[in-house]
Amino acid sequence: MQTDHERGAAPAPPRGRRGRRTVLVASALVVVAAVAVVGALGLGGGGAEDGSSAPPRSGSTVPVTRATLTERTTVDGQLGYGTEIPLPIKSTGTVTWLPTEGRTVERGGTLLRVDDRPVVLLYGTLPMYRDLGLTAGTGQGTRQDAANKGDAQGTGDQGVTDDTSKAPAPSGSPTPGGAGTGGPGGTGGTGGTAGTASTLRGMDVLQFESNLAALGHTGFTIDEEFTDATARAVKRWQKSLGLPQTGTVGVGDVVYSAGKVRIGRAGVRLGSAVTEDVLPYTGTSRKVVVNASAAEDSWAVRGAAVTIGLPDGKSVKGEVASVGKKATDPEEGGGEGGSGAPTVPVTITIKDQKSVGRLESAPVTVEYVGRERADVLTVPVAALVALAEGGHGLETADGRFVAVKTGLFADGRVEVSGSAVREGMKVRIPE
């Protein structure tokens, strides 16, 4: 019988050698897979000099630094001159002249003309509530009575004093230092009870005389008494305005404001009767109004500093001047269907008006400072990694992971703390 060798067949490989070859191939595949996993996780150590180890993890390292983090929030606002309110015009009659919208009126300027008489702007906080002239008593006088008193002859530089009650004047003749006949309802004298002077007195007189002097019409003492000298100055002022020189100021002749005003859109047309909203106005300084969320308006405190972002990219400084005390009804809020959240108006003033340039109205942004954390350890937000067991951690430069507790997020950085975190420690920012 012929053997396999004699028949020329190739001898079979030994069973032990084939089994070893299979084991070696399988082992090689396991090693390659393990290297791939280690490389992907970045958990491999430093490679040997022959370069046979896994490639190092990519990404830069940064140090843990100590700093102060400040939370800043930006909201939308509107640049303008503020809300228009009507001037307290007390004149009655027909509007015969109106200023153009946007015009600035200063002290002594004409706001409008009623029955072709100017209504003049003066500065003050006390509203005009009565005629001012040489009249007795504290109630509001009539323009005609005041005019008669102002036109009386024989008045001196000083107003009527209590001395006029010592000797009654002849009927129909002016009393010494007075402006007409004595007696109740007359144009001079004591006008009633003993010791009551017939010179008009009050803080409104002082306010008007201060304005009269500021306009260059002097020759009297600026006090609370409307004297003959005051009346003569009033006549000179009236002459400069082209008015009859009565020496008396009617309740509708002037309007007081805290300063110069910027005229808004008129509420009536020429030829219409004077109404309460005939002439609205604003201040002349540009400001920003923010409709702040009523639930998040803790930043809106009077005097708080903010930064205003203009449409051209520039930033200017602002300060919270006032905060509304009434929130809008959600039904009146913005958005379709009346689903807006309640808001309160916050007015922000701009001290440096030149920094705004010529811009008068525009949408702007308002940035304010919220929370602040001083002297804390911080890292870039991008350095945080999510840990498998939950929470956040940092990867050190040598590939270790340390758990951290996060705090305030601000300006692209985050506050971190933990027993394994220290200032200057290098942490990795993965790509």
Side-chain angles (χ1 to χ4, degrees):
M1 182 176 181
Q2 289 183 330
T3 66
D4 290 340
H5 178 71
E6 292 174 338
R7 289 194 296 265
R15 185 176 301 274
R17 180 180 300 177
R18 182 176 182 180
R20 185 168 61 252
R21 181 182 301 170
T22 302
V23 171
L24 290 175
V25 171
S27 299
L29 292 176
V30 171
V31 171
V32 171
V35 170
V37 171
V38 172
L41 295 177
L43 299 177
E49 293 183 0
D50 60 4
S52 60
S53 65
R57 280 176 51 78
S58 61
S60 59
T61 58
V62 294
V64 176
T65 59
R66 189 173 295 277
T68 296
L69 291 183
T70 303
E71 181 183 60
R72 291 178 172 84
T73 304
T74 300
V75 295
D76 295 329
Q78 181 66 38
L79 175 70
Y81 289 90
T83 304
E84 292 185 353
I85 57 177
L87 283 162
I89 306 295
K90 296 183 180 297
S91 293
T92 57
T94 302
V95 177
T96 53
W97 178 83
L98 287 168
T100 58
E101 183 180 357
R103 178 180 177 182
T104 298
V105 181
E106 300 182 359
R107 174 163 39 200
T110 299
L111 293 167
L112 75 163
R113 295 181 76 91
V114 178
D115 292 346
D116 205 29
R117 289 175 59 92
V119 178
V120 180
L121 177 70
L122 298 180
Y123 294 168
T125 57
L126 185 64
M128 190 75 170
Y129 65 93
R130 61 176 177 175
D131 294 350
L132 300 180
L134 296 173
T135 183
T138 58
Q140 178 178 323
T142 65
R143 180 178 297 178
Q144 186 60 45
D145 289 343
N148 291 339
K149 297 182 187 77
D151 289 338
Q153 302 297 318
T155 58
D157 288 343
Q158 300 299 322
V160 179
T161 64
D162 290 341
D163 293 339
T164 60
S165 63
K166 294 180 180 179
S171 176
S173 63
T175 58
T181 59
T187 56
T190 58
T193 59
T196 301
S198 56
T199 299
L200 195 66
R201 292 182 174 88
M203 291 300 296
D204 56 338
V205 175
L206 175 62
Q207 180 175 265
F208 174 76
E209 288 184 340
S210 299
N211 278 274
L212 200 59
L215 293 173
H217 303 285
T218 56
F220 56 89
T221 301
I222 301 176
D223 54 20
E224 296 182 17
E225 292 187 2
F226 195 104
T227 65
D228 291 325
T230 306
R232 289 195 291 272
V234 169
K235 291 180 180 180
R236 293 192 295 271
W237 174 60
Q238 290 173 329
K239 182 179 180 180
S240 70
L241 294 173
L243 292 172
Q245 300 170 46
T246 63
T248 298
V249 185
V251 68
D253 290 343
V254 301
V255 172
Y256 287 102
S257 76
K260 57 186 179 179
V261 300
R262 182 179 184 272
I263 302 300
R265 184 183 296 275
V268 300
R269 295 182 179 181
L270 292 179
S272 300
V274 176
T275 60
E276 293 183 354
D277 59 349
V278 59
L279 199 63
Y281 77 101
T282 65
T284 58
S285 297
R286 285 159 293 182
K287 59 192 67 176
V288 173
V289 175
V290 173
N291 290 322
S293 170
E296 301 176 358
D297 64 347
S298 59
W299 63 272
V301 179
R302 187 174 180 179
V306 298
T307 301
I308 301 168
L310 301 179
D312 60 2
K314 295 181 180 178
S315 297
V316 298
K317 295 180 179 180
E319 182 178 294
V320 175
S322 64
V323 182
K325 298 184 181 297
K326 181 180 179 181
T328 59
D329 191 311
E331 296 298 326
E332 300 174 0
E336 298 181 358
S339 60
T343 61
V344 292
V346 179
T347 302
I348 299 169
T349 56
I350 304 172
K351 185 176 182 180
D352 184 7
Q353 289 287 301
K354 292 183 179 180
S355 64
V356 188
R358 296 183 178 181
L359 199 61
E360 293 189 350
S361 177
V364 297
T365 58
V366 175
E367 183 183 81
Y368 62 89
V369 174
R371 294 180 298 164
E372 186 175 85
R373 293 283 292 168
D375 195 30
V376 294
L377 296 177
T378 70
V379 296
V381 175
L384 289 179
V385 295
L387 299 179
E389 62 270 23
H392 294 90
L394 298 173
E395 182 184 0
T396 64
D398 58 4
R400 295 180 298 108
F401 288 86
V402 295
V404 295
K405 181 180 179 181
T406 59
L408 180 64
F409 288 75
D411 298 328
R413 300 186 70 85
V414 58
E415 172 190 359
V416 293
S417 59
S419 58
V421 183
R422 67 182 186 279
E423 183 178 0
M425 183 176 73
K426 297 287 186 177
V427 296
R428 187 182 302 279
I429 300 180
E431 291 185 352

